[in-house]
Amino acid sequence: MGLNRRSVLRGASLMAGFAALPFELRQAMAQDASARPFSYEALIARAQAAAGEAYKPAYQPRPDVVQKLDYEAWGKILFKTDRAPFSGQPGVQEPAGYPLEFFHLGQYFTKRVKMNLVLDGKSVEVPYDPNLFDMPADSPARQLPPDSGFAGFRFQEWHTSEDWRHQDWIAFLGASYFRAIGAAGQYGLSARGIVVNAALADKPEEFPDFTEFYIEEQSDPEAPVTVCALLDGPSVTGAYRFRIRRGLDRTKGIVMEIESQIFLRQDIERLGLMPMTSMFWYSEYGRDRMRDWRPEVHDSDGLEIWTGTGERLWRPLNNPTTIKVSSFLDENPHGFGLLQRDRNFDHYQDGVFYDRRPCLWIEPLEPLGRGSVQLLEIPTEDEIHDNIGAFWVPEGKAAKGNSYRLHYKLHWLNTEPYPAENIAQTVATRMGYGGEPGKTRPENQYRIAVEFDRPSVMTQIPYGVFPKVNVTTSAGRIIRTLAEPVPNGNVWRALFDVEITPDLFTELRLFLELDGKPLTETWTYQFSRDLEVFNE
């Protein structure tokens, strides 16, 4: 999971208008017979009907040519910003809003995705035209046929913003992937429309595609932008409606309200709903932290779950030596997300600003019922691969003919949108060998230190009082525990030694408590010797 990134109008007057740009969009649509009524409900009906039909792969024009558009060649193909719909540029005056730019096909984005604009309840397809792009004279893209289509799209900042020509804030590109910048103005992890059979030993993962987009007109920067999408894959179809709120105050991040209807063509062994995907190479712990000069490299450092019972769980991420899937059973969780809690630049020392990467939080707007939040961790030896996935798996068999209705929000922020006010959060996880300094280190004993911080909680601990370390292990045994304040700060550290044989792994759970009440969220971790820094 996550290692993969990614008719023509018959009305001559509108074809010429789009191809040439400038044009007046609403007038052109009113005059063109190919403009059709559009509604999200009709898109749902199309997805449901398609689920009863055989899958037809998306059109891939001239694969021999598209494969020549590698990362370097593709990066030289740039959409001409002055031709962006909704940009308010001369000749593109109506309507104006968040300018819309399209991505070209390339080696990693080989399938045509149809782009449609929706105004006054009618939709019309935007035909591909190479003249919409700046590209080198010798670019292989010039050999593509006229029906090639686009790979995806992105929105620029509001058309009156000074930086709109070079600052985008959301992008849909490749399979069912999409991503947005957070409150710090930086891209990082991605979301997906769906996950089908990720990390199974006996079958490959499927990557269904958003095959059509319907992008509605805009008039108010504070109102949500509405985008509908049609999903299609060998085992699944679906319809999605995104209401995406940006606003002129960029410090508020981006919030998406999403509705979707999903229909299964075939049985699916692992159906992942509301999925997100990220990158974790190493942190202040991890097996690869001596392979690179930077102290930490990751887009996200942990999974947080707000369970249906109200418990807050924090799971630090791993870069394992083999694929790992962890399942957190729950009923009607309040939310979950992959977060980047460490916001200290000195902990990364990298100009790509890992300290600014957004957190992504999922908030169900309708009860999910019983199921599990599943965390997928894949080995990686570089930062270029998304090796982390998190998604909801509903209880019961995902059988052919099943349908699923979802209504949820995605929050792209600097932190989770609903932090617990009365408990402290995990801010660091550290690991090493156990035992005592100056003595022979016992075999198979490992020390883990977990640090918690929230001034409103931790500063209320009376001087001379030490919280209890409540820690359990599913295998092996806990040898000793200790709680101590970290000097020069509000942080408290919980330490413990765990004894475990090299051939075992254990699920660890820990929190600090005082007078029988939890002071912190519950830290959870899947520990084994081969996962961490103990490889010889």
Side-chain angles (χ1 to χ4, degrees), residues 96-278:
Y98 291 103
L100 173 65
E101 296 191 353
F102 302 112
F103 290 108
H104 202 279
L105 297 178
Q107 187 179 78
Y108 300 106
F109 319 105
T110 63
K111 300 175 182 179
R112 179 181 66 183
V113 182
K114 294 183 178 182
M115 300 293 169
N116 301 272
L117 301 185
V118 180
L119 284 81
D120 298 332
K122 292 185 178 181
S123 71
V124 67
E125 185 183 346
V126 182
Y128 170 77
D129 185 341
N131 292 318
L132 294 174
F133 297 89
D134 281 321
M135 61 178 74
D138 60 350
S139 174
R142 296 187 179 275
Q143 304 172 33
L144 291 173
D147 64 347
S148 293
F150 304 101
F153 72 93
R154 62 185 175 184
F155 280 118
Q156 305 295 107
E157 295 289 3
W158 191 250
H159 71 283
T160 59
S161 301
E162 293 184 359
D163 61 349
W164 78 264
R165 296 175 185 275
H166 54 83
Q167 181 59 63
D168 57 316
W169 55 273
I170 189 170
F172 287 75
L173 180 63
S176 66
Y177 287 89
F178 57 98
R179 62 179 185 161
I181 61 177
Q186 181 73 40
Y187 281 114
L189 76 172
S190 299
R192 295 174 63 178
I194 201 166
V195 162
V196 176
N197 292 334
L200 298 180
D202 57 345
K203 61 182 64 175
E205 180 178 355
E206 291 182 18
F207 291 89
D209 300 289
F210 285 139
T211 57
E212 300 179 20
F213 286 102
Y214 295 83
I215 303 162
E216 297 190 9
E217 66 176 309
Q218 312 141 30
S219 60
D220 181 354
E222 302 304 326
V225 177
T226 299
V227 176
C228 294
L230 188 67
L231 181 86
D232 197 25
S235 300
V236 65
T237 66
Y240 291 71
R241 178 161 58 189
F242 301 82
R243 292 188 175 98
I244 311 166
R245 191 177 300 276
R246 174 54 169 158
L248 297 180
D249 183 355
R250 301 180 185 182
T251 64
K252 293 183 178 180
I254 294 168
V255 178
M256 304 177 181
E257 181 181 345
I258 302 174
E259 298 171 87
S260 65
Q261 290 266 48
I262 296 163
F263 306 94
L264 302 194
R265 272 196 176 105
Q266 305 292 338
D267 293 352
I268 294 177
E269 189 169 338
R270 176 174 285 137
L271 175 65
L273 304 178
M274 306 178 295
M276 61 191 87
T277 181
S278 189

Side-chain angles (χ1 to χ4, degrees), residues 331-333 364-370 392 405-407:
E331 183 172 2
N332 297 327
L365 298 180
E366 296 180 5
L368 295 175
R370 293 179 59 84
W392 174 257
R405 181 179 182 275
L406 295 171
H407 190 193

Side-chain angles (χ1 to χ4, degrees), residues 60-102:
Q60 301 185 66
R62 292 291 305 271
D64 58 322
V65 173
V66 173
Q67 286 303 310
K68 296 177 183 178
L69 296 172
D70 58 15
Y71 183 81
E72 181 178 2
W74 181 77
K76 295 177 180 178
I77 304 174
L78 304 175
F79 190 85
K80 295 177 179 178
T81 57
D82 287 344
R83 298 190 173 189
F86 310 135
S87 64
Q89 295 301 290
V92 194
Q93 298 172 1
E94 183 190 13
Y98 291 103
L100 173 65
E101 296 191 353
F102 302 112

